[in-house]
Amino acid sequence: MGSAWSSPEEREPLLPPTPPAGPPPFAQHGQSYRAAAAAAAAESRGRGTPPAGPLPRLPPVPGRVYGRRWLVLLLFSLLGFVQGLVWNTWGPIQNSARQAFDFSSLDIALLVFWGPIGFVPCFAFMWLMDKKGLRKTVLLTSFLMVVGAGLRCIPVSNQETRKWLIHGGHLLNGLAGPTVTSASPLLSTTWFSPDERATATAIASLISYLGAACAFLVGPLVVPGPNSTSTVPPVFGNSPEYIKDRIEAVLFAEFGIVAVIFSAALAYFPSRPPFPPSVAAASQRLSYGRSFCRLLSNPRFLMIALAYAIPLGVFSGWSGVLDWILTPAHISQVDAGWIGFWSIVGGCVVGIALARFADFIRGMLKLILLLLLSGATLSSFWYTLTCLKTVIHLPLTTATLYTSCILLGVFLNSSVPIFFELFVETVYPVPEGITCGVVTFLNNMFMGVLLFFFSFYHREFSWFNWCLPGSCLLSLLLILCFRESYDRLYLDVIVSI
């Protein structure tokens, strides 16, 4: 956060012309509060319960929240929404793309693979968030998305050149991933009070998943499938030329949405409010280098980081090629799209509801994760056993396939904001952007490894399906062994007394 909360230039257009009545602003007494906060955090760090003896009597902190925080949250959430929408453009319509653009199986896998590849330079984005703030990071991210979406729309006659432009656009969109997936806890801490933080984190982190869900819906409904399962009226036919025109219409629409969001962020997206909403928001954080040393030397963090990264990475890769995986089960492109859509939408709704519950009843993050991962493990075993062909398996019907896949997505996707809040609480005072950047990098690393093998072994999918229950069960065991603590929350409570 730095030694000063906001510069005079940042405060000038936001503050009223006369000083407000009441306690002096936090910025004038920040050092004393930060010193007390650091002492309290050091006293509680490493323990899940408050220290013995009387708590220090500290003056109340004049934290403030601003109505504009919801506008900032909306802009960031829309950015994540469109990034997820663009990333998942091709998976739900891979059969149509093969016919219209002559895509191969490797092309489809690579277009999904650009998402995790975009996380290779994620440490540079972590540094940018830590040193330059949210505004510059968000503007760079949205600019990369605009250029990437524009490259996909360039009309060239050469099919091979057009294919490489599409791949390049998806790579640039993948480079936006580190910001939209890992900056949500930083935004919620910077702008929201302690009793709103989990809710804000859930909204900001899950809306990008909702964008991927809408791709499952929009793609198959707008683009006709070569197997005549589209909802497009049959009078138009399903010729390659018509399919290509419909796909290009989707690409141009996505480019227009990205351009509008970039313009809105350029017009207004401040890095932080004039005054902090809580003690933890204004407290001094570890430096960039020390943060990585703290994370890598903390076995509790590494334990929950793997518990998050492995199942979510496997599920993200599986979702990106869901239409491809379900094709042998005679599931149409439209049906596969609806399965992906409802699994993600359900996860977003449940995740936001659970985060709101966590804001009201604090200290329940581990219990919530245990319940979610138990449900994910059971659902993934149900789905996998219905897809077996060589041994005894459960009955495969449309209803069982829909139910098992949707429940799996609901349980895993809704765990994302709960994991994020637990990460930050566990390793405080490591900056939120660095903490969540590391875990999302691990998540995409596992996703990338899985898709790498999938690009070579895609003729039979049983091994891919078994990765789902195995990863969920491993995550459940890791959370069972994890000892939770709430250093950031404890700091806010005792310093505000």
Side-chain angles (χ1 to χ4, degrees):
M1 289 292 181
S3 59
W5 178 256
S6 57
S7 64
E9 291 78 8
E10 290 174 316
R11 291 196 297 265
E12 182 62 28
L14 300 177
L15 293 179
T18 58
F26 193 98
Q28 296 177 8
H29 302 280
Q31 295 298 336
S32 61
Y33 286 123
R34 278 190 288 270
E43 191 175 5
S44 67
R45 195 166 299 120
R47 296 193 290 260
T49 58
L55 298 177
R57 297 294 298 177
L58 297 173
V61 178
R64 287 185 59 185
V65 291
Y66 296 82
R68 75 193 74 171
R69 69 191 186 279
W70 299 108
L71 175 60
V72 174
L73 179 62
L74 175 64
L75 288 176
F76 183 85
S77 300
L78 289 176
L79 188 68
F81 176 89
V82 179
Q83 200 274 339
L85 180 69
V86 172
W87 170 76
N88 200 30
T89 298
W90 301 100
I93 57 171
Q94 56 96 13
N95 288 323
S96 302
R98 290 171 186 269
Q99 188 175 70
F101 291 95
D102 197 25
F103 281 164
S104 64
S105 298
L106 180 61
D107 286 318
I108 299 296
L110 189 58
L111 286 168
V112 181
F113 193 40
W114 289 126
I117 289 178
F119 277 77
V120 173
C122 74
F123 297 101
F125 285 92
M126 294 182 209
W127 177 88
L128 189 64
M129 274 190 284
D130 187 55
K131 300 298 182 181
K132 303 299 181 180
L134 272 175
R135 174 174 172 80
K136 293 183 178 180
T137 308
V138 167
L139 289 180
L140 175 62
T141 298
S142 55
F143 176 75
L144 291 173
M145 291 174 56
V146 168
V147 176
L151 285 178
R152 304 187 309 163
C153 299
I154 297 178
V156 293
S157 57
N158 186 280
Q159 192 81 305
E160 194 67 22
T161 303
R162 181 70 186 276
K163 187 184 298 184
W164 281 109
L165 287 173
I166 292 174
H167 280 289
H170 273 261
L171 173 60
L172 292 178
N173 184 75
L175 292 175
T179 300
V180 300
T181 58
S182 63
S184 52
L186 174 60
L187 184 145
S188 63
T189 300
T190 304
W191 284 90
F192 289 84
S193 61
D195 59 351
E196 295 176 332
R197 278 197 300 240
T199 304
T201 298
I203 294 173
S205 60
L206 291 176
I207 293 300
S208 62
Y209 291 83
L210 189 60
C214 286
F216 280 116
L217 180 62
V218 172
L221 290 180
V222 175
V223 180
N227 54 5
S228 302
T229 59
S230 172
T231 57
V232 175
V235 67
F236 293 106
N238 290 343
S239 65
E241 291 77 14
Y242 180 72
I243 293 175
K244 185 177 181 180
D245 289 341
R246 302 303 296 174
I247 293 177
E248 289 182 342
V250 173
L251 300 182
F252 275 102
E254 291 176 348
F255 170 71
I257 297 173
V258 174
V260 169
I261 296 175
F262 171 69
S263 301
L266 188 63
Y268 181 77
F269 194 94
S271 284
R272 50 184 174 258
F275 299 106
S278 65
V279 177
S283 62
Q284 188 74 29
R285 304 304 170 89
L286 297 181
S287 65
Y288 186 77
R290 290 185 62 194
S291 296
F292 283 100
C293 294
R294 176 70 65 86
L295 293 178
L296 297 178
S297 62
N298 189 333
R300 294 171 58 243
F301 169 75
L302 296 177
M303 181 185 298
I304 56 172
L306 291 176
Y308 165 82
I310 295 176
L312 267 298
V314 172
F315 178 75
S316 298
W318 177 80
S319 299
V321 290
L322 182 60
D323 178 29
W324 195 353
I325 291 175
L326 295 181
T327 297
H330 306 290
I331 301 300
S332 70
Q333 183 170 279
V334 174
D335 286 333
W338 280 111
I339 291 174
F341 175 78
W342 287 116
S343 65
I344 298 177
V345 169
C348 293
V349 173
V350 174
I352 294 174
L354 288 176
R356 195 65 193 139
F357 172 79
D359 276 330
F360 280 109
I361 304 178
R362 300 170 182 174
M364 303 285 289
L365 298 180
K366 177 180 177 178
L367 177 60
I368 294 174
L369 286 177
L370 287 175
L371 295 175
L372 292 175
L373 291 173
S374 297
T377 302
L378 294 176
S379 301
S380 58
F381 271 110
W382 183 12
Y383 160 77
T384 302
L385 291 176
T386 59
C387 295
L388 289 179
K389 298 297 182 183
T390 57
V391 296
I392 298 176
H393 61 279
L394 298 176
L396 176 61
T397 64
T398 302
T400 59
L401 195 63
Y402 262 74
T403 305
S404 59
C405 291
I406 290 174
L407 286 177
L408 175 61
V410 168
F411 287 125
L412 284 181
N413 288 326
S414 60
S415 70
V416 172
I418 309 300
F419 266 117
F420 279 3
E421 287 296 299
L422 191 58
F423 292 144
V424 175
E425 296 287 352
T426 301
V427 300
Y428 181 85
V430 177
E432 291 83 355
I434 295 177
T435 301
C436 295
V438 170
V439 295
T440 52
F441 172 78
L442 291 175
N443 172 22
N444 282 268
M445 184 183 70
F446 282 106
M447 174 184 171
V449 170
L450 192 69
L451 290 175
F452 174 78
F453 283 104
F454 183 77
S455 63
F456 294 100
Y457 304 101
H458 52 263
R459 298 187 182 275
E460 201 273 327
F461 303 109
S462 62
W463 69 273
F464 203 164
N465 290 331
W466 275 110
C467 287
L468 287 170
S471 62
C472 293
L473 182 59
L474 176 60
S475 177
L476 178 61
L477 295 176
L478 290 173
I479 293 298
L480 277 172
C481 300
F482 174 73
R483 179 175 57 86
E484 62 186 333
S485 63
Y486 298 88
D487 293 345
R488 182 185 60 167
L489 179 61
Y490 176 62
L491 176 68
D492 279 324
V493 170
I494 68 166
V495 177
S496 299
I497 293 177

